[in-house]
């Protein structure tokens, strides 16, 4: 990806299984990311927060730009597999039908977040590689399956 590894910090929900953490760290290392710190959260997030299972804070545009390289193809596939295996909540108060929780990538500098939900189509990942994050200011970015594109509803509301 790059000559120097990209620095990252991972924040894991208390429910994130250790094997998922290991697989994510391994996939990120294969993509040229050095995970400097891995922590677990115990704090309760508010209702407005994204119910993520893992949050990776890193230089996001540099990370996305390097994902298209042939040398990281297997690690990129491993990252998508980690997202696909994201567990459902183990919160007993949550409905039994709760959706699997996403992996969230957050840009270290701007705080912009990209939400990688389990079940994203291949086109979403393909578009993500070419996405220019400078076009977004609010976020979070979600892939809209009906429109077939990445979008930020907050950015759209502010512009409209």
């Amino acid at each position: 990806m790059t000559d120097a590894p990209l620095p990252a910090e991972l924040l894991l929900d208390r429910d994130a299984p250790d094997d998922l953490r290991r697989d994510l760290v391994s996939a990120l290392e294969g993509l040229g990311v050095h995970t400097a710190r891995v922590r677990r959260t115990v704090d309760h997030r508010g209702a407005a927060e994204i119910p993520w299972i893992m949050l990776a804070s890193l230089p996001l545009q540099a990370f996305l730009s390097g994902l298209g390289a042939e040398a990281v193809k297997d690690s990129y596939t491993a990252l998508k597999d980690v997202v696909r295996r994201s567990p459902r909540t183990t919160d007993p108060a949550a409905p039994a039908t709760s959706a699997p929780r996403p992996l969230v990538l957050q840009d270290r500098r701007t705080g912009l977040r990209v939400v990688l939900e389990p079940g994203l189509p291949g086109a979403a990942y393909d578009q993500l590689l070419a996405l220019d994050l400078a076009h977004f200011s609010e976020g979070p970015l979600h892939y809209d399956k009906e429109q077939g594109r990445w979008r930020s509803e907050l950015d759209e509301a502010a512009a409209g």
Side-chain angles (χ1 to χ4, degrees):
M1 225 172 93
T2 63
D3 292 336
L6 297 172
E9 289 188 34
L10 291 180
L11 185 59
L12 306 175
D13 186 87
R14 69 183 186 285
D15 296 335
D18 283 335
D19 63 329
L20 203 61
R21 175 196 51 82
R22 282 190 302 272
D23 291 349
L24 178 61
V25 169
S26 177
L28 289 173
E29 286 176 356
L31 295 168
V33 174
H34 170 68
T35 306
R37 189 166 132 181
V38 179
R39 298 180 294 142
R40 287 197 182 265
T41 181
V42 294
D43 298 329
H44 176 73
R45 291 185 295 273
E49 287 288 313
I50 299 167
W52 47 261
I53 190 73
M54 294 174 278
L55 173 75
S57 177
L58 65 159
L60 193 50
Q61 190 69 67
F63 174 70
L64 294 177
S65 297
L67 288 180
E70 187 66 30
V72 298
K73 189 175 185 179
D74 290 341
S75 294
Y76 185 40
T77 300
L79 176 67
K80 291 188 280 189
D81 183 57
V82 170
V83 173
R84 184 188 53 77
R85 294 185 304 133
S86 179
R88 292 177 174 359
T89 185
T90 59
D91 180 354
T97 59
S98 64
R101 292 177 294 156
L103 166 65
V104 177
L105 303 176
Q106 177 176 295
D107 187 70
R108 291 183 92 134
R109 188 178 54 79
T110 66
L112 185 68
R113 290 181 174 186
V114 174
V115 180
L116 300 177
E117 297 165 345
L120 284 177
Y125 288 100
D126 294 343
Q127 285 182 27
L128 186 59
L129 298 182
L131 200 59
D132 182 357
L133 299 178
H135 294 289
F136 302 95
S137 59
E138 293 294 320
L141 299 168
H142 291 270
Y143 186 76
D144 185 320
K145 291 179 182 178
E146 286 186 24
Q147 295 184 19
R149 66 181 180 96
W150 287 93
R151 59 189 289 230
S152 165
E153 291 177 357
L154 293 177
D155 281 349
E156 292 169 8

